[in-house]
Amino acid sequence: MLAEERREVLLRLIERRGAVKVKDAAEEMGVSAVTVRQDVRDLAGRGLVVRVHGGAMSPSAAQAADVAGPAGARPAAGQGDVFGLIVPPGAYYYPEVIRGVQDAARAHGVRVVLAVSGETLGDNREQVRRLIAAGADGLLLMPRAGLDPADLAEEWLAGLDVPVVLVDRRAGGQGGRLEQVASDHAHGAGLAVRHLAGLGHGRIALIARAESPNTPLIREGYAEACRALRLPEGPEYAIDPADGAAPAGWFEDFAGSVEAGEVRAALVHNDLDAVALIGFLQARGLRVPEDLAIVTYDDEVAELGDVPLTAVAPPKRAVGAWAVDLMRRRLADPAAPLAELLLRPELRVRESSGAPAAAGERT
């Protein structure tokens, strides 16, 4: 059946019944729900039907139900879409990405349905199933740390009948038909290293969250920048949240290296850990930036500490907005080339980075 013939059949179904659900129409016509959603979108763009959550109505039925608004009014292109958004648990880092999704969705008349990423693949499959059953036209996914996006794509995302955009996640070569938009964390780490090296620091430590999905990319950018600048890689410390609020053993080791002048600069991921580290160093009589220059990665609360921290700021809100834009483009043109976008962070210089002090300057 040709596309125009299929849309004629769908239009007759809607006119005869007043309204249809996408799922029911897809089963009756023997096509996928994605195909029916695209047909509904095309018919709505021509003013022949009115899109509603999970389906479509005839203009007369919609007007009677006060769905279409003023007589003759046509919804703007893309309005009425429903995007499922799955995000990791926790209040740090992701709220700005979510706000970017919300702002862009509101501007384009898109409804967002939120779910929190589960701990297992089975949990996430069930959440996706529910979102699609609720009428999601597409999925914006930020799986929690520990769930490999490539595995997700291979095992179950590739079989979905709705398009998927990974948000601040990378699927690599196994991503299939997944689209992706993320901060270029490797580039951001390189900005920090180059900034500290430009101030004269020849050995830069890396302190990073062990459980963060961004840590491998930050480590990659850090190592690449050190190689490009012909700097030796400094010591690396992994922050384990299982250590709790008490300073881990590496705090003592790191402070000893700073006191001995072996480490004079560090890239710290993330802001909260940098603030905690500064407090520990100050208790030992060490100063920032005189004894240790710090660039932190995230810029969520970097400027609020006792010492305002120079920070690499990933474009979180822009990532969320671009995810909505990618999904809208995909729904409008399913045959368009697939996109993988990397948005570059920026370096925000404050008081916490400085040139290394001369020997004997520390008081």
Side-chain angles (χ1 to χ4, degrees):
M1 185 183 300
L2 297 176
E4 200 56 41
E5 294 174 341
R6 189 181 62 245
R7 288 166 186 166
E8 280 294 328
V9 171
L10 178 60
L11 181 59
R12 287 196 295 271
L13 279 176
I14 296 171
E15 289 175 342
R16 185 166 65 249
R17 300 176 186 176
V20 298
K21 293 183 177 180
V22 166
K23 181 180 178 181
D24 294 340
E27 290 177 356
E28 288 187 43
M29 298 170 65
V31 296
S32 71
V34 170
T35 297
V36 174
R37 287 191 182 97
Q38 183 61 32
D39 289 343
V40 167
R41 193 172 289 105
D42 177 83
L43 293 172
R46 289 189 262 167
L48 300 176
V49 303
V50 175
R51 296 181 64 203
V52 295
H53 179 56
M57 301 178 72
S58 67
S60 57
Q63 188 173 347
D66 197 24
V67 171
R74 290 172 57 175
Q79 289 196 343
D81 285 330
V82 178
F83 295 172
L85 173 63
I86 296 183
V87 302
Y92 189 83
Y93 189 91
Y94 298 107
E96 276 296 291
V97 180
I98 296 170
R99 276 190 280 272
V101 170
Q102 287 177 309
D103 292 345
R106 190 178 298 115
H108 296 292
V110 173
R111 179 175 174 236
V112 175
V113 180
L114 183 69
V116 177
S117 177
E119 295 184 359
T120 68
L121 287 176
D123 293 338
N124 285 272
R125 287 193 188 98
E126 178 60 20
Q127 289 167 333
V128 165
R129 186 195 65 78
R130 291 177 181 174
L131 288 171
I132 294 175
D137 297 294
L139 298 174
L140 310 178
L141 301 186
M142 279 188 286
R144 67 188 297 158
L147 292 177
D148 187 344
D151 288 343
L152 291 176
E154 187 175 343
E155 294 188 20
W156 57 282
L157 292 181
L160 298 178
D161 63 353
V162 298
V164 174
V165 173
L166 289 179
V167 185
D168 212 40
R169 295 291 186 267
R170 309 276 293 278
Q174 302 180 57
R177 292 197 58 77
L178 298 180
E179 297 194 90
Q180 306 165 50
V181 56
S183 296
D184 190 344
H185 298 297
H187 177 81
L191 289 177
V193 171
R194 286 177 170 82
H195 174 72
L196 291 168
L199 294 172
H201 296 286
R203 190 166 187 247
I204 301 164
L206 174 63
I207 302 171
R209 301 290 294 185
E211 87 288 2
S212 170
N214 299 331
T215 292
L217 296 169
I218 292 172
R219 184 182 296 116
E220 174 188 316
Y222 163 84
E224 182 179 341
C226 286
R227 285 193 299 271
L229 296 170
R230 298 184 179 180
L231 298 179
E233 291 186 29
E236 180 176 342
Y237 301 86
I239 300 174
D240 187 346
D243 292 334
W250 71 263
F251 270 59
E252 292 286 350
D253 294 340
F254 184 78
S257 296
V258 176
E259 287 175 325
E262 297 170 358
V263 175
R264 306 301 300 272
L267 167 59
V268 184
H269 172 47
N270 56 41
D271 296 358
L272 295 178
D273 296 313
V275 170
L277 177 62
I278 288 173
F280 183 80
L281 294 175
Q282 288 175 333
R284 297 277 293 261
L286 297 167
R287 302 165 300 163
V288 174
E290 292 84 356
D291 299 313
L292 179 71
I294 289 179
V295 174
T296 184
Y297 197 97
D298 274 351
D299 203 29
E300 284 287 329
V301 295
E303 64 181 333
L304 302 181
D306 180 37
V307 179
L309 299 175
T310 292
V312 175
K316 305 180 192 77
R317 193 170 292 211
V319 166
W322 268 101
V324 171
D325 194 52
L326 279 182
M327 183 59 72
R328 292 181 63 244
R329 291 168 185 255
R330 175 59 44 201
L331 292 171
D333 185 5
L338 296 168
E340 180 177 348
L341 300 181
L342 285 179
L343 307 185
R344 290 186 171 179
E346 65 172 303
L347 182 72
R348 296 173 181 169
V349 179
R350 301 186 182 102
E351 297 176 15
S352 60
S353 60
E361 270 190 26
R362 189 168 71 84
T363 59

